[in-house]
């Protein structure tokens, strides 16, 4: 591996992965290929903007010609695909771009990887397993049972990747991560939304009873695991990446408010998300056996993330005053009226 294309590398996890790789390895060139949708942000990559090992190409993964030209120009040998539409609530309002990027875009990258004999890694999610009843945890061989348009677009990507391994012997791996939190996450996702609202003493719209369970993991832990799978993962295999501990959203909010020294009465229970998956839970024995473990508990990850948002208003204030405002009104305007006492 020498020249790695990181698609979606200007987004939250992709950018953290790029920073991690450039810091850890001297001899890799990283080419970020990103469409710069509302979620893509070159501020996330400011730290490496002048690094000669880093290049940026603005492009869509659905654009086969542009993907081809980028592979040729940079003599790429590896693709790590983070590019996706990623917010479940937006997928409920308007699934179109989710299907385009998650299904067709993944196909375009796989075709290009096949043509040039590239190593291919797909970033996937625990949401492909669907809601998991209490007492159970997902293992990598479980049947995929996605329940939102977002999750279905990601599961489709996984199936395509697997098909290219079986049919064409393409050297692929997949990682399925739980909820990431940390620096540079667009403030539509629950932790940065609630942290920034709390800093401004604005209400926190908690869906339903707030007893849904998620595995909140620190983004750099996830990036270390992806790095490990890229180097040591068995080809054709998927690896779950999480904390192995679950947390109810109400607990997450309490840690966040305590860290930011804000009162609990900021929490407003609002109308639930349609088709809301109540619980995800990953069995992470397989990635642990490869030699990885998370460095942060979920509670540490939530607190550390809250502090980052308190200390980095330069990053999020301009986002929250732009496109975000219109989205916020569309997503939450009617929800405040259904607030439970
Ligand atoms: P994000 O929304 O912050 O960033 C997505 C990036 O992809 C943006 O930079 C965007 O501009 C780019 N992009 C979107 N469509 C594109 C296209 N057609 N062509 C090129 N670039 C495009 O997302 P994230 O939270 O960093 O997630 C990254 C990946 O990790 C996604 O594949 C997501 O499904 C997966 N994932 C996310 C989480 C999480 O908790 N955030 C957990 C598990 C897996
Ligand atoms: O599980 C991995 C997935 O985590 C990733 O694949 C997705 O890309 C990522 O967006 C995330 O999906 P979730 O739907 O779990 O994340 P979100 O931050 O939107 O919501 C987390 C939980 O918080 C979920 O139970 C819904 C709840 N929530 C969310 C928002 C935005 C609220 O209660 N209120 C809110 O305003």
């Amino acid at each position: 591996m020498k020249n790695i294309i990181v698609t979606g590398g200007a987004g939250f996890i992709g950018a953290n992965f790029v920073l991690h790789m450039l810091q850890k390895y001297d001899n890799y060139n990283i080419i970020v290929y990103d469409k710069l949708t509302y979620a893509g942000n070159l501020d996330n990559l400011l730290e490496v903007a002048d690094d000669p090992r880093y290049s940026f190409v603005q492009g869509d993964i659905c654009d086969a010609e542009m993907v081809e030209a980028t592979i040729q120009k940079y003599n790429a040998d590896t693709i790590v695909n983070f590019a996706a539409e990623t917010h479940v609530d937006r997928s409920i309002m308007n699934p179109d771009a989710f299907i385009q990027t998650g299904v067709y875009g993944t196909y375009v990258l796989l075709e290009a990887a096949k043509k040039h004999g590239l190593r291919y890694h797909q970033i996937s999610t625990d949401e492909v397993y669907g809601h998991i009843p209490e007492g159970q945890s997902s293992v990598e061989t479980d049947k995929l049972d996605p329940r939102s348009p977002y999750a279905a677009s990601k599961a489709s990507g996984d199936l395509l990747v697997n098909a290219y391994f079986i049919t064409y012997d393409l050297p692929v791996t997949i990682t399925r991560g739980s909820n990431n939190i940390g620096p540079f996450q667009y403030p539509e996702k629950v932790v940065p939304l609630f942290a920034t609202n709390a800093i401004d003493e604005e209400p926190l719209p908690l869906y339903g009873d707030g007893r849904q369970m998620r595995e909140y993991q620190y983004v750099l832990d996830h990036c270390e695991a992806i790095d490990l799978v890229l180097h040591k993962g068995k080809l054709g295999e998927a690896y779950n990446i999480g904390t192995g501990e679950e947390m109810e959203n109400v607990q997450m909010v309490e840690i966040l408010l305590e860290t930011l020294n804000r009162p609990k009465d900021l929490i407003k229970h609002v109308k639930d998300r349609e088709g809301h998956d109540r619980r995800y839970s990953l069995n992470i024995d397989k990635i642990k056996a490869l030699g990885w473990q998370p460095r942060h508990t979920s509670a540490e990850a939530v607190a550390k993330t809250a502090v980052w948002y308190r200390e980095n208003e330069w990053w999020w204030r301009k986002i929250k005053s732009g496109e975000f405002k219109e989205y916020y009104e569309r997503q939450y305007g009617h929800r405040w009226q259904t607030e439970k006492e």
Side-chain angles (χ1 to χ4, degrees), residues 6 29 33 62 97 104 107 135 155 170 175 193 196 242 263 284 291 299 318:
V6 178
N29 297 310
Y33 183 95
C62 299
Y104 187 73
Y107 154 75
L170 192 74
T175 44
L193 175 69
T196 55
I284 55 170
K318 56 186 163 191

Short mmCIF file of all heavy atoms in Angstrom, two decimals, residues 6 29 33 62 97 104 107 135 155 170 175 193 196 242 263 284 291 299 318:
data_model
loop_
_atom_site.label_atom_id
_atom_site.label_comp_id
_atom_site.label_asym_id
_atom_site.label_seq_id
_atom_site.Cartn_x
_atom_site.Cartn_y
_atom_site.Cartn_z
N VAL A 6 -9.10 7.97 -0.10
CA VAL A 6 -10.08 7.93 0.99
C VAL A 6 -11.31 8.70 0.51
O VAL A 6 -11.31 9.94 0.48
CB VAL A 6 -9.50 8.55 2.28
CG1 VAL A 6 -10.56 8.53 3.39
CG2 VAL A 6 -8.25 7.77 2.73
N ASN A 29 0.73 8.06 0.85
CA ASN A 29 0.10 9.26 0.30
C ASN A 29 -1.40 9.07 0.40
O ASN A 29 -1.92 8.00 0.05
CB ASN A 29 0.50 9.45 -1.17
CG ASN A 29 1.99 9.67 -1.30
OD1 ASN A 29 2.56 10.51 -0.61
ND2 ASN A 29 2.64 8.89 -2.16
N TYR A 33 -10.99 11.98 -1.76
CA TYR A 33 -11.91 12.15 -2.89
C TYR A 33 -13.29 12.37 -2.28
O TYR A 33 -13.87 11.45 -1.67
CB TYR A 33 -11.88 10.89 -3.76
CG TYR A 33 -12.74 10.96 -5.01
CD1 TYR A 33 -12.20 11.36 -6.23
CD2 TYR A 33 -14.09 10.61 -4.98
CE1 TYR A 33 -12.98 11.41 -7.38
CE2 TYR A 33 -14.88 10.66 -6.12
CZ TYR A 33 -14.32 11.06 -7.31
OH TYR A 33 -15.10 11.10 -8.45
N CYS A 62 -20.18 8.50 -7.65
CA CYS A 62 -21.04 7.98 -8.73
C CYS A 62 -20.49 8.34 -10.11
O CYS A 62 -21.00 7.87 -11.13
CB CYS A 62 -22.45 8.55 -8.59
SG CYS A 62 -23.23 8.09 -7.04
N ALA A 97 -30.60 10.42 -2.40
CA ALA A 97 -29.12 10.51 -2.43
C ALA A 97 -28.48 9.34 -1.67
O ALA A 97 -27.35 8.93 -1.96
CB ALA A 97 -28.67 11.83 -1.81
N TYR A 104 -25.26 2.82 -5.91
CA TYR A 104 -24.60 3.01 -7.21
C TYR A 104 -23.14 3.46 -7.03
O TYR A 104 -22.24 2.95 -7.71
CB TYR A 104 -25.38 4.02 -8.08
CG TYR A 104 -24.81 4.10 -9.47
CD1 TYR A 104 -25.01 3.07 -10.37
CD2 TYR A 104 -24.02 5.19 -9.84
CE1 TYR A 104 -24.45 3.12 -11.64
CE2 TYR A 104 -23.45 5.25 -11.12
CZ TYR A 104 -23.68 4.21 -12.01
OH TYR A 104 -23.12 4.26 -13.25
N TYR A 107 -20.94 0.60 -6.18
CA TYR A 107 -20.74 -0.20 -7.39
C TYR A 107 -19.66 0.43 -8.29
O TYR A 107 -18.75 -0.28 -8.79
CB TYR A 107 -22.07 -0.35 -8.14
CG TYR A 107 -21.93 -0.58 -9.62
CD1 TYR A 107 -21.53 -1.82 -10.12
CD2 TYR A 107 -22.19 0.46 -10.51
CE1 TYR A 107 -21.39 -2.01 -11.49
CE2 TYR A 107 -22.04 0.27 -11.87
CZ TYR A 107 -21.64 -0.96 -12.37
OH TYR A 107 -21.48 -1.14 -13.71
N GLY A 135 -30.36 -8.83 25.37
CA GLY A 135 -29.75 -10.13 25.64
C GLY A 135 -29.00 -10.68 24.43
O GLY A 135 -28.28 -11.67 24.55
N ALA A 155 -26.52 -1.61 3.85
CA ALA A 155 -26.53 -3.08 3.72
C ALA A 155 -26.35 -3.47 2.26
O ALA A 155 -25.64 -4.44 1.94
CB ALA A 155 -27.84 -3.63 4.27
N LEU A 170 -12.00 -9.99 -5.66
CA LEU A 170 -11.46 -8.66 -5.32
C LEU A 170 -11.03 -8.67 -3.85
O LEU A 170 -11.76 -9.18 -3.00
CB LEU A 170 -12.56 -7.60 -5.54
CG LEU A 170 -12.07 -6.15 -5.49
CD1 LEU A 170 -11.30 -5.80 -6.76
CD2 LEU A 170 -13.26 -5.19 -5.35
N THR A 175 -15.80 -3.03 7.57
CA THR A 175 -15.93 -2.84 9.01
C THR A 175 -17.31 -2.27 9.30
O THR A 175 -17.81 -1.42 8.55
CB THR A 175 -14.85 -1.90 9.58
OG1 THR A 175 -14.71 -0.76 8.71
CG2 THR A 175 -13.52 -2.61 9.71
N LEU A 193 -25.30 17.72 18.30
CA LEU A 193 -26.49 18.59 18.33
C LEU A 193 -26.79 18.98 19.78
O LEU A 193 -26.99 20.16 20.09
CB LEU A 193 -27.70 17.86 17.72
CG LEU A 193 -29.01 18.65 17.82
CD1 LEU A 193 -28.98 19.88 16.91
CD2 LEU A 193 -30.21 17.77 17.46
N THR A 196 -23.99 21.28 21.36
CA THR A 196 -24.01 22.69 20.92
C THR A 196 -25.29 23.39 21.39
O THR A 196 -25.24 24.55 21.78
CB THR A 196 -23.84 22.78 19.38
OG1 THR A 196 -24.84 21.97 18.74
CG2 THR A 196 -22.46 22.30 18.95
N GLY A 242 -17.02 -1.65 17.97
CA GLY A 242 -17.83 -0.89 18.93
C GLY A 242 -17.13 -0.88 20.27
O GLY A 242 -15.93 -1.16 20.36
N PRO A 263 -28.44 22.52 33.07
CA PRO A 263 -29.52 21.85 33.82
C PRO A 263 -30.26 20.79 33.00
O PRO A 263 -30.37 20.91 31.78
CB PRO A 263 -30.46 23.01 34.17
CG PRO A 263 -30.23 24.02 33.10
CD PRO A 263 -28.79 23.90 32.68
N ILE A 284 -17.90 -7.80 19.68
CA ILE A 284 -16.64 -7.29 19.08
C ILE A 284 -15.47 -8.26 19.30
O ILE A 284 -14.30 -7.87 19.22
CB ILE A 284 -16.29 -5.87 19.59
CG1 ILE A 284 -16.24 -5.82 21.13
CG2 ILE A 284 -17.29 -4.86 19.06
CD1 ILE A 284 -15.66 -4.51 21.69
N GLY A 291 -6.32 -7.92 17.69
CA GLY A 291 -5.36 -7.15 18.47
C GLY A 291 -5.79 -5.72 18.78
O GLY A 291 -4.95 -4.86 19.03
N ALA A 299 -18.86 6.48 28.22
CA ALA A 299 -19.00 7.66 29.08
C ALA A 299 -17.83 8.63 28.84
O ALA A 299 -18.03 9.85 28.74
CB ALA A 299 -19.05 7.24 30.54
N LYS A 318 -20.35 28.39 12.52
CA LYS A 318 -20.68 28.78 11.14
C LYS A 318 -21.57 27.72 10.48
O LYS A 318 -22.41 28.04 9.65
CB LYS A 318 -19.44 29.11 10.31
CG LYS A 318 -18.39 28.05 10.21
CD LYS A 318 -17.17 28.61 9.48
CE LYS A 318 -15.96 27.74 9.71
NZ LYS A 318 -14.70 28.29 9.28
#
